[in-house]
């Protein structure tokens, strides 16, 4: 009778440790946006041991495509890329206010459909989708009248 109790206690300890590790991982401070994309890269590197080198590029439309560049570019204070599995070029974006309204306007004009394909933090975004739930990032769900930040959940 003692072994099942010990196994149950051990299982609770393991589950609690994993839950604590996930909470601590998500509780990591946000990127230092005063350092621009270098601050985002340093934050990602602390969390994942990847994204050590930031590359800056001139042509955002070449990276994001012409439609997304038209909507996103006016609201990007700085951008660059880094390598973080599974992405060869993960986009790092420091944002200015107004992207939500621009997306709703583009929706109303039929220029875009659905929601922005970015993972959002506070004042920044990443272009990836895989693994973003582990970073505590959000997706932006938009209708013609409003946008809401929704935590990305693990599926």
């Amino acid at each position: 009778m003692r072994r099942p109790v010990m196994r149950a206690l051990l299982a609770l300890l393991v589950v609690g440790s994993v839950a604590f590790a996930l909470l601590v991982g998500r509780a990591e401070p946000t990127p230092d946006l005063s350092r621009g994309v270098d601050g985002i890269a340093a934050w990602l590197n602390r969390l994942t041991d990847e994204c050590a080198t930031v590359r800056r590029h001139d042509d955002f439309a070449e990276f994001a495509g012409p439609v997304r560049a038209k909507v996103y570019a006016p609201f990007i204070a700085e951008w660059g890329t880094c390598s973080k599995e599974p992405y060869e070029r993960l986009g790092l974006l420091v944002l200015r206010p107004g992207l939500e309204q621009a997306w709703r306007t583009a929706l109303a004009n039929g220029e875009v459909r659905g929601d922005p394909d970015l993972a959002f933090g506070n004042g920044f975004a990443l272009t990836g989708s895989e693994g973003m739930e582990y970073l505590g990032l959000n997706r932006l769900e938009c209708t013609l009248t409003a946008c809401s930040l929704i935590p990305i959940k693990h599926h």
Side-chain angles (χ1 to χ4, degrees):
M1 185 71 173
R2 228 175 151 178
R3 283 187 179 234
V5 171
M6 290 301 285
R7 285 185 186 151
L9 287 174
L10 182 60
L12 283 173
L13 178 65
V14 169
V15 169
S17 296
V18 170
F20 179 74
L22 288 173
L23 287 174
V24 168
R26 285 186 172 220
E28 272 291 318
T30 59
D32 178 1
L33 295 182
S34 70
R35 294 181 49 213
V37 294
D38 291 324
I40 299 170
W43 174 74
L44 279 171
N45 189 267
R46 278 193 314 273
L47 292 173
T48 67
D49 289 328
E50 297 178 89
C51 197
T53 304
V54 174
R55 291 173 197 83
R56 287 169 172 70
H57 311 274
D58 294 326
D59 190 358
F60 186 69
E62 181 271 324
F63 175 72
V67 173
R68 283 175 175 70
K70 179 183 174 199
V71 177
Y72 295 160
F75 305 98
I76 297 174
E78 183 183 1
W79 78 282
T81 62
C82 71
S83 181
K84 182 196 169 312
E85 288 297 325
Y87 307 101
E88 194 172 306
R89 290 188 344 160
L90 177 69
L92 314 172
L93 313 172
V94 178
L95 301 175
R96 292 184 187 107
L99 180 63
E100 293 176 12
Q101 178 59 46
W103 192 264
R104 289 194 328 260
T105 300
L107 270 174
N109 294 337
E111 298 173 75
V112 297
R113 292 185 206 154
D115 302 317
D117 55 352
L118 299 172
F120 291 88
N122 189 13
F124 72 99
L126 303 177
T127 59
S129 57
E130 290 183 41
M132 299 302 149
E133 67 274 16
Y134 299 110
L135 300 174
L137 300 179
N138 302 295
R139 59 189 166 82
L140 190 64
E141 288 186 356
C142 293
T143 66
L144 295 177
T145 58
C147 290
S148 300
L149 285 171
I150 309 297
I152 299 172
K153 304 271 188 210
H154 180 67
H155 297 288

